[in-house]
């Protein structure tokens, strides 16, 4: 009991934001429900981003019905690689990254061979809502494959690293790189075993790295020293995160970005209910930062440059 009380006291001291307070005081207060569809459906988000001039992975196709699966699978045989996503998925569920093997077969990012029948079955499961929020019928997004920027090679295993930014009232308040590893089966989701690296908003450098909530110093598969990680093109990444928040109108938002070899900084996904593990990766809580932004007079009227300057001076 005494240990539990001590832990609670430590969490309060660090300003850790809990789920109830996040839902009531931030998501409920700052995110209008009418705006949720803009980010809960990845196809809607992608179209919104394209209209706003935000860089996104190329959309190769959309499967909307079971009878479109066979045609799509035949067309994909011409592609060297692609990614299948449920439009209404969450937590990385249902995402399948595919490359063409040397003999023309399909290979997953971990090298596992899958047959055309497996691929068609996976698309069918997506359409049936197996991976979607609430199990609702869904659509399959087929996107071009992203390629990791060479400057980040070695920081991820069987997957492209992504950057999660929490943007509050247009101000970037906390950042984390998510690195895929063997334990996460090439996915960059922390709850599936990926590595989280807290990133300083001020300069894009690593502040702490964790896997399964425990601190680590090196990537478990590649051996790269995570303390040396510095996100390239940091200012551009922050600007892109702010622009993504502005285009949705949501006040409390998770923005997932990637640094692609060809595209440069690009939007991967948006999340109106971003998780709280980013606090573990940074070794500090969100609450003090959110309160500093709340103390600003109408931050939405500040330019993107002014909001970033504020964030870099304070976080």
């Amino acid at each position: 009991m005494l240990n539990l009380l001590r832990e609670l006291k430590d969490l309060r001291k660090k300003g850790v934001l809990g789920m109830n307070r996040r839902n009531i005081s931030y998501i409920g207060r700052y995110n209008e429900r009418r705006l949720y569809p803009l980010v809960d459906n990845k196809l809607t988000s992608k179209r919104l981003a394209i209209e706003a001039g935000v860089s996104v992975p190329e959309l190769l196709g959309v499967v909307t019905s079971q009878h479109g699966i066979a045609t799509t699978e035949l067309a994909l045989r011409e592609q060297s690689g692609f990614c299948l996503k449920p439009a209404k998925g969450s937590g990385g569920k249902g995402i399948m990254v595919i490359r063409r093997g040397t003999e023309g077969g399909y290979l997953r990012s971990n090298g596992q061979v899958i047959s055309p029948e497996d691929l068609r079955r996976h698309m069918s499961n997506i359409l049936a809502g197996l991976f979607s929020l609430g199990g609702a019928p869904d659509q399959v997004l087929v996107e071009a494959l992203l390629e990791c920027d060479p400057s980040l090679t070695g920081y991820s295993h069987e997957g492209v690293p992504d950057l999660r930014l929490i943007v509050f009232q247009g101000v970037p308040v906390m950042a984390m790189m998510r690195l895929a590893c063997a334990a996460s089966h090439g996915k960059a989701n922390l709850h599936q075993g990926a590595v989280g690296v807290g990133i300083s908003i001020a300069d894009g450098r690593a502040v702490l790295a964790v896997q399964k909530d425990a601190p680590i110093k090196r990537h478990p598969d590649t051996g790269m020293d995570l303390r040396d990680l510095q996100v390239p093109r940091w200012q551009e990444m922050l600007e892109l995160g702010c622009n993504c928040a502005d285009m949705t109108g949501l006040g409390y938002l998770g923005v997932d970005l990637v640094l692609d070899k060809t595209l440069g900084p690009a939007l991967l996904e948006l999340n109106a209910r971003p998780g709280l593990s980013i606090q573990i990766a940074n070794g500090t809580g969100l609450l003090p930062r959110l309160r500093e932004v709340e103390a600003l007079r109408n931050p939405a009227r500040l330019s993107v440059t002014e909001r970033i300057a504020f964030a870099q001076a304070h976080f």
Side-chain angles (χ1 to χ4, degrees):
M1 178 61 85
L2 281 176
N3 285 339
L4 179 62
L5 291 173
R6 251 184 242 119
E7 284 176 18
L8 286 172
K9 195 175 174 185
D10 287 346
L11 291 174
R12 282 201 195 97
K13 221 184 260 184
K14 290 182 177 178
V16 171
L17 179 69
M19 189 173 288
N20 287 339
R21 181 172 285 182
R22 181 202 66 171
N23 293 345
I24 296 167
S25 302
Y26 293 96
I27 292 176
R29 182 176 176 189
Y30 291 99
N31 287 350
E32 293 181 42
R33 293 198 68 80
R34 66 180 179 85
L35 300 175
Y36 280 31
L38 297 179
V39 298
D40 284 349
N41 187 311
K42 294 178 179 62
L43 182 57
T44 305
S45 300
K46 186 179 279 287
R47 287 173 174 158
L48 181 69
I50 291 170
E51 282 175 18
V54 169
S55 184
V56 291
E58 183 186 357
L59 183 63
L60 300 176
V62 180
V63 185
T64 59
S65 63
Q66 296 286 346
H67 71 258
I69 290 175
T71 311
T72 301
E73 191 273 312
L74 280 173
L76 289 175
R77 294 182 186 185
E78 304 300 318
Q79 297 289 331
S80 59
F82 54 88
C83 179
L84 301 180
K85 284 183 181 179
K88 300 175 189 171
S90 66
K93 293 173 190 168
I95 294 177
M96 187 178 278
V97 176
I98 300 292
R99 293 182 187 275
R100 298 295 290 179
T102 51
E103 296 178 5
Y106 293 120
L107 296 177
R108 296 190 67 170
S109 55
N110 61 3
Q112 178 193 354
V113 177
I114 66 166
S115 67
E117 290 75 22
D118 291 333
L119 200 67
R120 291 196 289 268
R121 189 179 306 112
H122 187 70
M123 287 193 272
S124 178
N125 286 338
I126 291 177
L127 289 175
L130 192 63
F131 309 106
S132 65
L133 289 165
D138 208 345
Q139 296 173 307
V140 184
L141 270 64
V142 186
E143 291 184 342
L145 210 55
L146 291 165
E147 297 288 345
C148 182
D149 187 272
S151 58
L152 292 173
T153 301
Y155 283 113
S156 194
H157 177 70
E158 297 176 356
V160 178
D162 70 25
L163 176 77
R164 160 63 59 89
L165 270 179
I166 300 294
V167 184
F168 178 53
Q169 293 196 275
V171 179
V173 294
M174 196 168 278
M176 165 178 70
M177 284 296 286
R178 301 185 298 189
L179 313 176
C181 58
S184 68
H185 304 287
K187 295 189 175 178
N189 295 89
L190 265 58
H191 67 273
Q192 291 176 319
V195 174
V197 183
I199 299 293
S200 163
I201 291 287
D203 57 15
R205 291 179 184 275
V207 295
L208 180 68
V210 296
Q211 185 183 29
K212 296 179 180 174
D213 299 343
I216 58 171
K217 292 179 180 175
R218 293 183 178 275
H219 191 284
D221 304 307
T222 69
M224 287 286 279
D225 193 330
L226 300 172
R227 294 166 294 187
D228 296 335
L229 175 59
Q230 180 170 19
V231 181
R233 303 173 70 169
W234 183 235
Q235 290 299 121
E236 290 177 67
M237 299 290 264
L238 291 177
E239 287 169 14
L240 182 57
C242 291
N243 289 332
C244 289
D246 290 351
M247 79 182 183
T248 67
L250 288 161
Y252 186 84
L253 185 68
V255 181
D256 296 341
L257 306 175
V258 290
L259 187 58
D260 179 73
K261 185 170 74 173
T262 307
L263 291 175
L267 170 64
L268 201 57
E269 287 183 17
L270 299 168
N271 193 326
R273 313 163 194 82
L276 297 166
S277 55
I278 192 169
Q279 300 175 106
I280 299 170
N282 278 272
T284 191
L286 275 162
L287 263 181
R289 301 185 183 197
L290 298 174
R291 285 171 176 160
E292 285 205 56
V293 175
E294 285 181 308
L296 286 173
R297 283 191 179 179
N298 201 356
R301 295 187 65 179
L302 298 175
S303 68
V304 168
T305 304
E306 289 170 327
R307 280 179 263 153
I308 291 175
F310 173 84
Q312 291 185 308
H314 292 79
F315 313 137

